[in-house]
Amino acid sequence: MEHKSIANRIIVYATLAVMLVFALFPLYWMFNTSFKSNAEIYRMTPSFWPERFSWSAYEKLLTENGFLHNVQNSLVVSLLVAFASIAVSMLAAYAIAKLRFRGRNVVSRGILYAYLMPRAVLFIPLYMLVSLIGLNNSIYGLMIIYPTITIPYATWMLISYFKSIPVEIEEAAMIDGCSRARTMFNIIFPLAAPGVAATFIFSFTLCWSEYLYALVVVTKSSDKTLTLGLSDMIVGDVFAWGPLMGGSILASIPVVIMYLFTSKYMVSGMTVGGVK
């Protein structure tokens, strides 16, 4: 029996190791390619490690392509939209999860359907909207469009978090004299902090990686986002593989940092013992 258990454990670990290698290999290849010279990149026999490290791709990114300005635009848009989406979605999700009103289920389903609506169907009316108010070809137009993605998503995610908080906590607070608003802001929202943190990160990532709306709305170089900056490195059938891979690596760093700093808040069980 013991030998069988060890064999099963070896099989599980081996399977996980293979899956991990399969998942991480594209990232490794991006990192590997970003440090190669063009001659080595286009060599018929690929090398799994640069024969000679070249920083030319990163030098080109940081000095010639305006890549840092693209990163700045994406960072500003993604952070502002994520914060605004969370502020709106927390109130909407609390109302749907905790309050009883006519049409609550219809509103809840409508939010889900709004998130599932294909972007390819919406980009024309949304472009017409931002054009009518004079915000096309600017990042401010994206700040108006992106909440149509993030708010339905964030609201739907937070509804489940608020439903998981025991109603007895609210009842105990109201017995102690708390108003509905004070209970919401001082008790429910802090207890839902892990869910709020996770939803904020996912909302930020949605904006950070969005391409279609940015492609349609923004054509001015100074207002292009990160995804547009990367796509501009492809000219016709010519791919600047070094800068493209280096830019993709740099683009992943802010998201990784955000996950690392907020991972400690993304834990469960914050409401354990809350009723007591």
Side-chain angles (χ1 to χ4, degrees):
M1 183 66 68
E2 183 179 353
H3 292 291
K4 185 177 181 180
S5 176
I6 294 175
N8 291 336
R9 192 177 304 173
I10 292 175
I11 293 173
V12 170
Y13 287 158
T15 303
L16 291 175
V18 171
M19 295 175 64
L20 183 64
V21 171
F22 185 79
L24 294 181
F25 183 78
L27 298 177
Y28 163 74
W29 196 255
M30 289 167 53
F31 182 81
N32 177 35
T33 304
S34 68
F35 287 103
K36 291 180 179 180
S37 62
N38 285 331
E40 190 175 356
I41 290 174
Y42 288 101
R43 187 180 299 173
M44 293 298 295
T45 303
S47 57
F48 287 87
W49 191 255
E51 295 180 359
R52 180 176 176 274
F53 275 85
S54 173
W55 296 89
S56 59
Y58 292 95
E59 291 176 0
K60 187 174 182 180
L61 280 173
L62 300 179
T63 59
E64 298 180 16
N65 289 348
F67 180 76
L68 290 180
H69 193 69
N70 299 144
V71 172
Q72 178 183 340
N73 290 337
S74 285
L75 195 61
V76 170
V77 172
S78 301
L79 284 176
L80 290 179
V81 171
F83 276 116
S85 300
I86 289 298
V88 174
S89 299
M90 288 173 69
L91 299 175
Y94 177 84
I96 294 173
K98 296 296 185 180
L99 303 182
R100 298 292 179 265
F101 56 91
R102 183 175 298 177
R104 182 168 66 100
N105 292 330
V106 175
V107 173
S108 178
R109 293 192 183 98
I111 291 173
L112 177 62
Y113 297 153
Y115 173 68
L116 296 177
M117 187 70 67
R119 299 179 193 177
V121 176
L122 296 176
F123 75 85
I124 294 178
L126 288 174
Y127 178 77
M128 294 174 62
L129 172 65
V130 295
S131 296
L132 287 174
I133 59 180
L135 293 179
N136 59 312
N137 205 19
S138 73
I139 60 175
Y140 300 107
L142 296 179
M143 292 180 187
I144 293 177
I145 290 177
Y146 282 173
T148 63
I149 309 171
T150 55
I151 289 179
Y153 166 79
T155 302
W156 184 255
M157 291 292 292
L158 290 174
I159 287 174
S160 60
Y161 282 107
F162 288 141
K163 283 184 176 179
S164 67
I165 298 176
V167 67
E168 290 83 0
I169 295 179
E170 288 184 277
E171 294 174 349
M174 291 182 180
I175 290 174
D176 289 339
C178 288
S179 63
R180 171 71 70 175
R182 187 176 179 184
T183 302
M184 180 174 61
F185 284 104
N186 291 356
I187 297 176
I188 302 301
F189 287 173
L191 289 175
V196 173
T199 306
F200 175 84
I201 292 175
F202 293 138
S203 299
F204 176 89
T205 307
L206 283 174
C207 298
W208 185 258
S209 59
E210 203 285 321
Y211 176 73
L212 179 60
Y213 289 153
L215 178 65
V216 172
V217 173
V218 179
T219 58
K220 189 166 56 175
S221 298
S222 60
D223 284 346
K224 286 187 175 182
T225 58
L226 172 66
T227 52
L228 296 181
L230 291 175
S231 67
D232 285 346
M233 298 178 192
I234 304 174
V235 181
D237 59 349
V238 179
F239 292 76
W241 286 116
L244 192 59
M245 296 296 102
S248 300
I249 292 294
L250 294 178
S252 64
I253 292 177
V255 178
V256 171
I257 292 175
M258 186 170 292
Y259 272 92
L260 290 176
F261 276 94
T262 57
S263 60
K264 62 182 179 181
Y265 299 107
M266 298 169 63
V267 294
S268 60
M270 287 189 67
T271 60
V272 175
V275 176
K276 180 179 178 180

